[in-house]
Structures are given as C-alpha cells and as structure tokens.
C-alpha cells in the first residue's frame, strides 16, 4: 500500500477495529486487588455502583480479551477515526537518521487529543443505563473538553470542575467546554461541601486535581441521576484507548513494517497504554517483540523514582487504593507545562507491566522536551501538546542513537494531541522563561513517608 | 465506497490531484486587464517581477487549463492532504432535514486552514528561483502561520507584518508563527519607511491590513533577495486552492452523489474559489450544474452591495488596480470577529464569475453565524473558524428550506478552518458581547466617491 512517497497510512472506516483489546486476558500474573479507601478491603462492584454505570464496573474487572465496541460509539468514532499513522519524513530528514519514524496522530479528534476515545464510550454506556448527568474534573482541560463533546453527542448534561488556576489561565479551553454546552466551575467551588470547606479556609485557593476530583465525586455520590467519569488510570479507560494501538498494528502492516521501539508519554497512562497494550499483547502471546518506552517528566518521576506500593488515587483519599508506582498521594508536582503528566500515581495496569519487565521508563526535563517539540513543528508542521513533546523527545533520542549505530530501526510513537491550547507554554519557552525542575527529593520523601497504605502481605498479594 | 454509516470520504494519497485547475481556460469572456497603480495602464510581467517570482507571474496570466503540481509541493501536501469530505450526519439529525449535507474539512492542515495550499506552492516556486527571504502581512493570522510553516519546510526566511491590534489580541497565533521560525513585527512597525511614517503621526496606531501590506511590499521592493507573498485575491493563489474542489469532485463520486448547492464564505475569495471553481468549470464546459452561493458578512457586503468597478487592491494604492466588486479602497470594515472576511474588495475571478451569473451572493449578520457555529460544534464536534461559520449558517438555511419543501437536495460547503485560535470570539458570543453591525452606508458611500479609478471604456474593456 505504501511507497517511498507515502506520508500517511490511512485506514478506511470499514477497517476501524470493532472491539477493544483487554490486556487483562493475556497477563501472566493477574492484577493486584483494588481496595476500598475506607476499609482497605477489596472493593466489590456494589461499592462502585454509585459512581459508575454497571457496564463500566464490569469492564474494570473483566478478563475477556475482546469487548465489542457498540455501534453508536463506532458511529461517533467515525467522525475522526481511524486516525492517521504518519511517516515522519520531515523529521527523519532533519535528523539525517537511518531510522524510520512513525507517529499515530491522535490530535485529529475534534477536541484535539486521544481523550474522546474513552469519553465517547463512557457517555454511551452511561446513556444506556439511563444516566442523564455526568460530573468530572479537568486539569489542563483536554479531558473536560473531550467529555463535554461526548455528552453533547449523547444528549447528557455535563458538569466540569476545572482546577481554578487552569480555569483562569486557559480561558480558551474553558470556552471550548462551554461551546459544547457543558457547565463549568472553577474548583474549589461553592457548589459542593468539599469546595465550600476549602474556600472557607482559603478563599483564594488555586485548586488542585485532587480537590477537583473530590468535588466531582461528591456531586455524583449525592445525586441519584448523576454519575462520575474519569479520563485515565482505570482499567476500562485504558481499554477504550486500545483502539489506537489496534489501528497502528494494521497501519504498520500497510507500511510493510513493524516497530522495534514503541514510545508514549505517561501521566495517568491512558494514551501510552492505548498505543502500546495491543503490541505488548502480541509479545505476551509470543507473536512479536518490541521495546516499549514510557516517558515521564523529571519533575514528576513516578515510574523511574516511585516505589511500587498500595496508595490512594487522590489527595482527599476518596478514591480507591491501588497498587501502583507512586510519589505519595499528597505530593504536588512542580508547575511544569505538561499539565496532563502531573499525577502522583500511575494506572495500575501500566505499573504491573513495568513490574513484570515489559516497559522501560525514562524521565525527561521540560527544556529538552520543548526543544524537541519546536524541532518537530518545523519539520512536520504540527505543533504538539507539551505532553506529547515528551514522546517526541525520546523518539528523537532513539533516532539519533540509530544514526550513531548506523542502525535502520523502526520507531513508533503516540502524538497524543496538538498544542493549540498550550501556546502559552511555547511563548514561555521561546521567551526563555521555562526552567527545569530538580528532582523534588524532599517533597517526595515526605509524601512517601506514610507508604505503603497497606502491606502487600495484608491483602494476600 | 460509502454506505449508510460512512462519515468520511477519504481519498488515498495516490488519488490526490496532480495538477491545479485554471478556470481562466474555460471563461466564456476573458478577465478584464490588471492596471498599474501609478500609470493606470495594463501591467506587464516586468512590472510584477520585483515582487513575485516569474513562475507565479506567468501563472497569473495563464489560460492553460492545467498546471502540474511540482512533486516537492505534492510531498508537503501529503502531510495533510487529501483532506476529508465529511457527511454531516450529526447536523442533519439535529436539523431533521431530508437534505444531505457534506463539508470539506480544510481545518486538518497543521496551521488549521486552507491557506497552506497556496503557501506551500508559493514557497516552492520562490525557492526554485533562488529567493531566500519572503515578506508578507497577516490580519487574523491564518495566512501568516501558513506561510511561516511553508517557509520552514523549504528553508526560507519569513518576515510577517501582523496588524498590531491582532498582534496584541492574538498572542497564540503569534506564538504559532514564531514556533515555525518566522520573524514577526506588529504593523505599523519601525522596520519600514511606511511604518515609521505612520508611527510618527500616531505612535499608538492599531494598524490595518492595508498598512501591513504596504510594509511587506516595501521590504520586498527594496531588497533584492526578498519577494512578497499574498494569501488571497490573485489568480495564482485561487488556482492553488482548486485542489480542494478537485478532491471534492472525486469524493462526491465515492459517495455516489453530486451537490445541488455549493457554499463557501468570501473575504478575498480564496477558500471559496478553491472549492467552487472546479465545479463551475464543469458547468462552463456543460458537464454538470449546481447552484453556487458566496457568503459574506453583512458588515462588509462587497458582493451584495459593492459596484463592479476598477479599484485599488490596497489602502495605500501600491497594489495593482483591478476590476472587482468593491466597497472602496479606503473603507475600513467594522470589527467583526471573522477577520479573514474584512476586505474591501474581491478576487477579480470571483467578481467576474458573479458578473457572468454563475454565483449567488448572500450577506449574513454575525450573531446568526455564531449561533450556526455553536450548533455545528455540538452536532459535529468541530469548533469552526468565525469565517467558516458564514458558510455553515448558509448551509443550515438551505437544509431548513429543503425540510420545508420536503426536498432531498445535496448541500456541500467548505469548512475553511477550525476556531482554536478564535475562542475569544466564542467567549464574546456566549457572554452576550457580540453585536450585529448595520450596513455602514455612509462610510461606504464616502469610500466609493472616487470610483471608478478609471472607466471601463478607457481601458477598452
């Protein structure tokens, strides 16, 4: 299908995958249990029912390899999927590398990132169970805009709690969410008990993702017609993203190629898992092999520096306790511009696979990753999201290694989104106002002091 | 190729058109001549040589039907072309119309509009003739970002004069231009005689497109290594855009359909011409028939209210005199948010075809077009550029007419770009701060007082 001119490998809509891939089916060792944040006992589906529709709760614990994508979800996917696999010929030329570089462009979705892949599915499953309202939180805004678009498609009311500092700094992201018809509040807000309590202590509080989660969860817990939705970390969220990697496998076949190295950036882990899980699945089943690299910010080095231990998923300790790489649930990462990567923990599935030896983690500084993003923009046209710049930077390093070694390897990375709503970060970078953060050793040591929340022996893992 | 589920009609790269379509070959009456702004005599290629490479000057006057697209231009096009033709199933459902609505999505280009189609071609032809620097102006910023990206691809230095009010109000657009490596000045600037003269009179001058053109032209005229580049109006610019309509014709065939109505928004005329000229060409050759609607803002009603007369292309009277629909070269349109449509004149080719009866013009108010844009975003996901909202609004009106008449017509419009850099306009709209402007009768009468610059008889037309 491809020749030496081809830039894009585009699947027809008829070739779009019709089932999600559930990597739990292929794990050599099952995932550790998820614990209730109050009792520290394994959670039951009933514990989660107030927050999520039962179909998503069941996906969370499923070990079936394939979950059919419902036709109404496929119908909305077809607005932007299959997404293109692009041969980065401009970047290869700029680097003068013998390596072949490919990237999956998830920035083509209307809100501009991979997030709609799960937002659309979650909106559908909620709608199917009669849910009329969904609440969620958003930090940088990629998730909030994806869910508000999905809710517009399925005629569901959407309430978004946006971390106040982002709400104030990113009026355009906020405007996108409102254009899709959602209601948006800066968090902490006066809409919830959690928010009011925080504001009573500090009326000028800038907010955090942990606080916004508490507000969104409270709204769902206290209102029968409202469910809660999360944009990363959970097993079902990662499973919905596997459409990325499944498409990429077909597109690499179109290109008559297979990756030697697969790269994604990791915050909660969803875009990374979406690309790499179908490839790791091939490896787990003995069908193929590739190196898999997870790229995180040096300012929030969860996978490279955090212990693999049971910890809370959120600051307020309302979310379940899971076994993951963590910097401690009270750790507040420095204010790097890749807001989507500022999470103290990691998706349990990603941590589990790292622990089993299937993933190489690497931590990068933000000046290096922005330099990579600018080089990419001038060679490939697309201005990437700051999160995606982490993956690009690692891909460039691999391509330069290939150049040094004279090795014609094939590199594949996930371009999780575009940077149109992050140009403030580029302004800061070009104006010399960005700094690299040292590893926040002391803060992390303090946040880790209380760990593990519960010992592995106590839960029989 | 399509069935009742298909959302996108995607051509493979191998089906991308390999030649531009030159409508001058099919005109029943040739274009009136272009006049020198000083002598008011027809211009010669030599008059234009200081500003443009000779290959583009010759394209300007060519009557050959096809101009081959050079392979290096096709190579860069393949980064984002062919662009998808999308069946607006969400919008059809929201309107409950029997009409079928399709749109060509030019927002998929890296800078987010149709402008790279000519920017890439112009950068190539300049490079081919040894040009190392290009100067241009930009208003809202779509053109400046497209040309700066194209110059990065062909290793040409790019200088952009951006209207000061936009430079200050749109820091993100400016950051995009700088990320691509171009040098950008707010206009009026201290970089040119024209700019310094204006600043001497009014140091706080907000600038205008006319002033920015004067600065960019001066830089090209005074420097041997620098040429000037324009993003609309000229014949060669419109011809480069015809790749849009040529792709659309093939994609309508994939859908086993043909448009009854074709719609585009008009400022200088380039995105409109790009979509409709290949279809009008079919009509001129007696091969097919469709209604063609040009949508302009009521605040700048060039085609619906302006006389068809010889006038200057710019405020400072440095640009050639052409026969076009015009509101007078000194008319400054009200500050509507569709900055790309604020031009006093029109591409001569578009005016000529309107005069010959091939185009229906319509003028719309901005509150109506923003309402259409928000409805589109909630139904189709994509948040459109304010310019494109004009085309969407007209398409919705046609679809509602079809509903009233029970008529299953096929409507095709051009989505010229996305609105990611125009969210300020959406914020103003949703906040109730946008107003409709009355027809600026008095200002236009004043601007038209000196017209025509020269009588039709005098040039023997």
């Amino acid at each position: 299908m491809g020749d030496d001119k081809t830039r894009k490998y585009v699947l027809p809509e008829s070739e779009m995958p019709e089932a999600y891939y559930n990597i739990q089916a292929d794990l050599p060792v099952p995932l550790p249990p998820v614990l209730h944040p109050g009792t520290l006992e394994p959670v039951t589906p009933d514990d989660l029912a107030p927050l999520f529709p039962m179909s998503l709760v069941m996906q969370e614990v499923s070990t079936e390899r394939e979950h059919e994508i419902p036709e109404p979800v496929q119908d909305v996917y077809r607005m932007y999927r299959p997404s293109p696999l692009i041969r980065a010929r401009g970047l290869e030329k700029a680097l003068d590398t013998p390596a072949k570089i490919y990237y999956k462009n998830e920035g083509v979705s209307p809100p501009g990132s991979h997030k709609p892949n799960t937002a659309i599915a979650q909106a559908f499953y909620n709608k199917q169970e009669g849910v009329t309202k969904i609440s969620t939180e958003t930090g940088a805004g990629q998730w909030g805009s994806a869910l508000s678009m999905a809710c517009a498609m399925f005629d569901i009311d959407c309430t978004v709690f946006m971390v106040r500092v982002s709400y104030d700094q990113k009026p355009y992201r906020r405007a996108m969410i409102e254009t899709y018809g959602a209601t948006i509040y800066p968090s902490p807000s006066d809409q919830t008990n959690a928010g009011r309590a925080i504001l009573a202590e500090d009326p000028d509080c800038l907010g955090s993702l942990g606080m916004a989660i508490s507000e969104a969860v409270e709204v769902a817990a206290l209102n029968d017609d409202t469910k809660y939705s999360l944009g990363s970390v959970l097993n079902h969220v990662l499973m919905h993203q596997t459409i990325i990697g499944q498409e990429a496998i077909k597109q690499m076949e179109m290109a008559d190629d297979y990756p030697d190295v697969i790269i994604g950036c990791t915050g909660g882990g969803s875009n990374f898992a979406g690309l790499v899980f179908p490839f790791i699945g091939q490896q787990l089943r003995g069908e193929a092999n590739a190196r898999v690299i997870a790229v995180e910010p040096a300012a929030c080095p969860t996978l490279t520096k955090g212990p693999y231990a049971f910890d809370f998923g959120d600051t307020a300790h309302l979310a379940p306790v899971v076994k993951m790489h963590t910097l401690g649930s009270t750790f507040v990462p420095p204010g790097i511009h890749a807001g989507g990567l500022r999470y103290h923990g990691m998706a349990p599935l990603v941590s589990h696979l790292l622990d089993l030896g299937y993933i190489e983690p690497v931590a990068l500084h933000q000046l290096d990753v922005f330099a990579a993003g600018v080089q990419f923009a001038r060679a490939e046209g697309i201005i990437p999201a700051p999160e995606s710049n982490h993956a690009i930077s690692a891909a460039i390093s691999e391509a330069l290694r290939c150049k040094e070694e004279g090795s014609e390897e094939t590199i594949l990375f996930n371009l999780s989104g575009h940077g149109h709503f992050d140009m403030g970060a580029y302004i800061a970078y070009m104006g010399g106002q960005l700094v690299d953060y040292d590893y926040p050793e002391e803060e992390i040591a303090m946040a880790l002091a209380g760990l593990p929340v519960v010992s592995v022996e106590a839960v029989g893992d």
Side-chain angles (χ1 to χ4, degrees), chain A:
Chain A
M1 298 282 292
D3 57 24
D4 61 0
K5 293 176 177 179
T6 307
R7 291 261 194 181
K8 299 182 305 301
Y9 296 88
V10 181
L11 290 172
E13 290 183 0
S14 57
E15 289 287 312
M16 189 173 77
E18 295 179 354
Y20 299 120
Y21 166 62
N22 181 11
I23 200 165
Q24 293 196 69
D26 291 320
L27 290 177
V29 182
L31 268 186
V34 172
L35 310 181
H36 191 283
T39 64
L40 298 184
E41 295 293 323
V43 294
T44 65
D46 284 350
D47 291 331
L48 298 172
L51 295 186
F52 301 105
M54 197 45 68
S55 48
L56 293 177
V57 171
M58 298 318 290
Q59 286 179 17
E60 196 63 16
V61 295
S62 164
T63 53
E64 276 177 50
R65 184 172 288 117
E66 295 199 335
H67 283 253
E68 198 189 329
I69 305 175
E71 171 51 34
V73 175
Q74 290 191 43
D75 182 44
V76 181
Y77 280 170
R78 283 191 286 263
M79 284 182 169
Y80 65 98
R81 302 209 73 86
S83 73
L85 178 78
I86 303 185
R87 174 81 182 268
R89 295 190 183 275
L91 184 62
E92 290 173 14
K93 199 174 148 201
L95 298 172
D96 188 25
T97 176
K100 285 177 281 182
I101 308 174
Y102 298 83
Y103 59 97
K104 190 74 172 151
N105 184 7
E106 290 295 307
V108 298
S109 81
S113 81
H114 66 293
K115 293 292 188 190
N117 299 332
T118 185
I120 293 162
Q122 291 191 47
F124 167 77
Y125 287 113
N126 273 283
K127 182 77 178 180
Q128 199 183 33
E129 297 189 24
V131 177
T132 57
K133 295 180 183 171
I134 296 180
S135 68
T136 197
E137 73 288 328
T138 198
Q142 281 191 343
W143 170 242
S145 45
L147 189 66
S148 56
M149 183 197 77
C151 284
M153 303 291 154
F154 288 101
D155 197 20
I156 296 171
D157 282 351
C158 182
T159 301
V160 179
F161 291 92
M162 186 170 188
V163 175
R164 179 182 288 274
V165 61
S166 296
Y167 182 92
D168 291 337
Q169 284 176 351
K170 294 191 152 194
Y172 281 17
R173 219 10 129 173
R174 181 177 12 132
M176 180 178 241
I177 291 169
E178 291 181 322
T179 300
Y180 288 137
T183 304
I184 183 163
Y185 299 108
S187 170
S189 78
D190 59 4
Q191 300 291 312
T192 65
N193 295 325
R196 284 185 292 266
I198 297 162
L199 287 174
E201 285 206 9
D202 178 6
D204 300 322
C205 179
L206 294 178
S208 74
L209 209 49
M211 294 174 191
I213 292 177
S214 304
E215 293 206 270
V217 166
E218 180 184 321
V219 168
L222 296 185
N223 294 282
D224 280 350
D225 61 353
T226 307
K227 297 286 183 193
Y228 169 71
S229 173
L230 191 68
S232 191
V233 177
L234 301 178
N235 302 339
H236 70 268
V237 176
L238 273 54
M239 187 178 78
H240 298 157
Q241 294 292 355
T242 58
I243 192 166
I244 301 172
Q246 292 187 75
E247 286 178 4
I249 287 173
K250 290 189 179 194
Q251 289 163 313
M252 292 301 308
E253 279 168 17
M254 287 172 77
D256 200 16
D257 210 340
Y258 193 86
D260 298 293
V261 188
I262 310 171
I263 301 169
C265 64
T266 47
S270 78
N271 93 80
F272 171 78
L275 176 64
V276 310
F277 279 9
F279 288 96
I280 293 181
Q282 294 185 321
Q283 196 167 349
L284 291 169
R285 296 190 302 273
E287 297 163 11
N289 253 312
R291 287 172 58 212
V292 173
I293 300 178
V295 192
E296 61 185 10
C300 188
T302 317
L303 293 174
T304 51
K305 302 274 191 179
Y308 182 43
F310 279 98
D311 195 6
F312 293 96
D314 71 325
T315 316
H317 297 183
L318 293 170
V321 168
V322 294
K323 194 174 178 193
M324 60 183 175
H325 293 83
T326 176
L327 300 170
S329 64
T330 56
F331 172 62
V332 179
I336 54 166
H337 281 272
L341 306 185
R342 293 178 67 236
Y343 182 61
H344 73 276
M346 183 51 60
L349 275 168
V350 172
S351 279
H352 189 60
L353 287 161
L354 172 61
D355 191 57
L356 293 174
Y358 290 93
I359 295 168
E360 300 172 32
V362 58
L364 301 181
H365 284 285
Q366 75 175 350
L367 286 176
D368 288 341
V369 306
F370 270 92
V374 170
Q375 181 171 29
F376 182 82
R378 293 181 188 178
E380 294 288 320
I382 297 167
I383 298 183
E387 292 82 2
S388 312
N389 284 344
H390 288 74
I392 292 169
S393 183
I396 289 175
S397 296
E398 289 293 322
L400 293 176
R401 176 186 58 73
C402 290
K403 183 179 177 178
E404 218 172 276
E405 296 174 359
S407 163
E408 292 181 19
E409 293 180 26
T410 295
I411 299 164
L412 166 64
F413 70 88
N414 201 11
L415 188 83
S416 56
H418 62 61
H420 299 172
F421 294 87
D422 304 283
M423 295 310 297
Y426 282 89
I427 292 172
Y429 171 69
M430 290 185 292
Q433 288 141 20
L434 279 201
V435 295
D436 281 339
Y437 292 95
D438 286 332
Y439 170 57
E441 199 156 357
E442 217 167 297
E443 292 82 350
I444 291 174
M446 272 174 55
L448 288 175
L451 284 192
V453 168
V454 60
S455 71
V456 169
E457 293 71 26
V459 295
D461 177 43

